[in-house]
């Protein structure tokens, strides 16, 4: 069970890393900004407009994960986990260790 949870977080980290660092490829991202309007952006990460964007919640086997990203100067400056698996003691322990690392990797 521990291996599955850690594997899920590693996969999420790779997906976030791939989306953020895809300077030579285009990526389609559907986000909702802080004013509540939904956007769909195609292009490199430098084409994103400044603001705070919230992704939709996604099921990650042990629970939902939802991320909010702040963009300033066309780059991600902050990532916050709004939802994450936290109904088990072990999930809480893992998230306390991995969430800051994943957020820093995204920035």
């Amino acid at each position: 069970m521990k291996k599955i949870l850690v594997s899920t977080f590693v996969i999420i980290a790779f997906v976030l890393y791939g989306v953020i660092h895809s300077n030579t490829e285009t990526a389609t991202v559907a986000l909702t900004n802080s004013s509540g309007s939904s956007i769909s952006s195609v292009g490199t990460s430098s084409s994103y407009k400044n603001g705070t964007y919230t992704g939709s919640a996604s099921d990650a086997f042990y629970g939902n994960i939802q991320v909010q990203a702040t963009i300033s100067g066309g780059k991600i400056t902050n990532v916050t986990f709004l939802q994450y698996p936290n109904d088990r003691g072990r999930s809480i322990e893992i998230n306390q260790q991995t969430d800051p690392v994943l957020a820093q990797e995204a920035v």
Side-chain angles (χ1 to χ4, degrees):
M1 182 161 63
K2 174 181 165 184
K3 290 180 183 181
I4 293 172
L5 186 59
V6 172
S7 297
T8 301
F9 281 110
V10 169
I11 291 169
I12 291 168
F14 279 116
V15 169
L16 285 173
Y17 182 83
V19 169
I20 293 166
H21 289 92
S22 62
N23 290 332
T24 58
E25 299 178 16
T26 60
T28 302
V29 181
L31 302 167
T32 304
N33 65 15
S34 57
S35 65
S37 61
S38 180
I39 65 168
S40 181
S41 177
V42 177
T44 62
S45 60
S46 63
S47 67
Y48 297 126
K49 293 183 181 180
N50 294 341
T52 301
Y53 299 91
T54 304
S56 57
S58 180
D59 186 19
F61 190 74
Y62 284 102
N64 288 336
I65 293 179
Q66 185 177 25
V67 179
Q68 184 177 65
T70 303
I71 298 176
S72 180
K75 296 184 179 184
I76 295 176
T77 58
N78 187 34
V79 174
T80 305
F81 290 89
L82 301 177
Q83 292 183 40
Y84 51 88
N86 61 0
D87 59 335
R88 295 177 183 92
R90 184 66 178 146
S91 294
I92 293 169
E93 181 182 337
I94 290 170
N95 288 324
Q96 287 175 341
Q97 293 176 15
T98 59
D99 288 357
V101 174
L102 293 174
Q104 183 59 39
E105 286 294 319
V107 173

